[in-house]
Amino acid sequence: MELTLWTYEGPPHVGAMRIATSMTGVHYVLHAPQGDTYADLLFTMIERRDRRPPVTYTTFQARDLGGDTAELVKTSVREAYDRFKPDAMLVGESCTAELIQDQPGSLAQGMSLPIPIVPLELPAYSKKENWGASETFYHLVRTLLQPAAPPPGTTREPVIDVIRREGRRPRANLLGATALGFRNRDDVREITRLLHDLGVDVHVCAPHNAAVADIRRIPEADFNIALYPEVADTTARWLEKTFRMPTVRTVPIGVLATREFVEEIGTVTGIDVQPLLAHERAGSAQVDASRSLLPWYSRSVDSTYLTGKRVFVFGDATHVLAAARIARDELGFQVVGIGTYSREFARPIREYAAKIGVEALISDDYLAVEQRVAELAPELVLGTQMERHIAKRLGVPCAVISAPIHVQDVPARHSPQMGFEGANVIFDTWVHPLMMGLEEHLIHMFREDFEFGDGSSPSHLHSSAPRGAGGAALLVETDNEVEEVEEVVSETAAPVAVTSTSWLPSAEAELKKIPFFVRGKVRRNTEKFALDRGIGEITVDTMYDAKAFYGR
């Protein structure tokens, strides 16, 4: 563990809390000190829930450590059962309580309560929130369904044969949507509508809004859909192995992925999905609003300006892979870097990064992410609320695509990421922070006007980048065009005694003519060039000499 100002994921007991909060009739008893009760705020403030999470804390204090904290666990479990009468109970411990080794789950199991008790062992010092959510969901499903599991070696009739024999619509389970997930509520609604249009009924959605009785009905469905692999993958694999339930693994984020998702549904169920895909492929402004306009917009609305935009993508693995594909294959952006804080899914991120020729960043250190953004100098950042802050400091446009989220990422309106309508939302969200061609042209034309000086920001940014912010590429203006060259470190220049430089007014004026988003980098490279050569005062000639040097 390391101390940090921000963190992408909380400890695993927060993941367990997400599962309990997502469901009805499930209560979570958490063995934790008073200071670990902060997690309530995540749901009531960030996600705007109208009720607190179904969690009871033992809230032991320092003076309790000299007594019997195990008895405190039993008392809390008993009182929680008597008060809330849950249908199932999760029992675990926070990172602080883990050090005491009271084993609260085992203690609760020995109390002979008339409900299922799910003991959670979540190693707080080696695992994080998404892993905790995944393990909690898996152990809850396994505890409730294991008694109904068929004998090993039992085969399951193919889905197509079952639905034809019974003469009914196929039934699917949606797995993985949780509280505090990025737009999970809206995604479930959108995918439910898409499946209905295909002729598929949603049998159970879990853990989102699921009861204990719903979990027990999961095997009655024909197949599962793993909407969010970070949470659903382990459970889906167990259901495949134990109940022989096929799983649809294509995550329908983006037009291309949604088409593949629909085709995979057709393969599993035998449904002819081509009429729906043909309707969606019409690709005109007259297409029904229930389908995506992203392909038509990306080909028509200032498309030449959007093409080639440099984009950096960071977040959980599911949304990063989807966003990178949309940016590259559907909008014509240039993905200059991708990364994730989800170490359990580092392999697919690295594989995709190798495919598109970039280096993957696998890290949960926001300072490392900020350094990578500064080095790459993207024109758009797609990330979490952390990247929103990073981009704001660097003066780069940003759109949030992944948890962790801020309250502003939980809109009151229907705003999905999945399905064809989700593609519309994504297009609007990503393009909105960018300056469109006319706006950029006008800012360039009137750059000498006081309204466009260093004290003001373009309309797509909340604040200007601080001096010195920039990226790994040096961009300079020549003949009204922006030219990009790689930064080259001088290997021959001898060190000199000059340790600081100053800018002459004429050089400062020339610097202001350079686009705002790379001005800091030009300043830094010019100052380095001057220092290496013992130049104390930077003139316009110094700037052009630096440009010529780095452009070799």
Side-chain angles (χ1 to χ4, degrees), residues 502-519:
S502 61
W503 288 71
L504 294 181
S506 58
E508 285 277 9
E510 190 71 14
L511 183 66
K512 290 181 180 180
K513 298 178 182 180
I514 296 173
F516 67 92
F517 51 87
V518 290
R519 193 177 301 156

Side-chain angles (χ1 to χ4, degrees), residues 455-474:
S456 62
S457 302
S459 63
H460 68 310
L461 298 177
H462 295 289
S463 63
S464 297
R467 286 189 175 185
L474 171 67

Side-chain angles (χ1 to χ4, degrees), residues 104 271 353 394 458:
I271 293 175
L394 297 178

Side-chain angles (χ1 to χ4, degrees), residues 13-57:
H13 74 262
V14 174
M17 195 175 299
R18 287 172 55 188
I19 301 300
T21 304
S22 302
M23 301 182 65
T24 60
V26 175
H27 199 82
Y28 184 25
V29 175
L30 182 64
H31 192 29
Q34 285 182 321
D36 283 354
T37 60
Y38 65 89
D40 281 15
L41 300 177
L42 296 175
F43 303 94
T44 56
M45 293 185 66
I46 293 181
E47 204 172 46
R48 312 186 201 192
R49 289 193 167 247
D50 58 356
R51 59 191 182 276
R52 67 177 296 272
V55 181
T56 294
Y57 303 90

Side-chain angles (χ1 to χ4, degrees), residues 23-26 86-89 116 140 144 210-217:
M23 301 182 65
T24 60
V26 175
D87 299 318
M89 186 177 289
L140 177 61
L144 295 175
V212 171
D214 294 325
I215 299 297
R216 290 194 169 106
R217 294 192 302 116

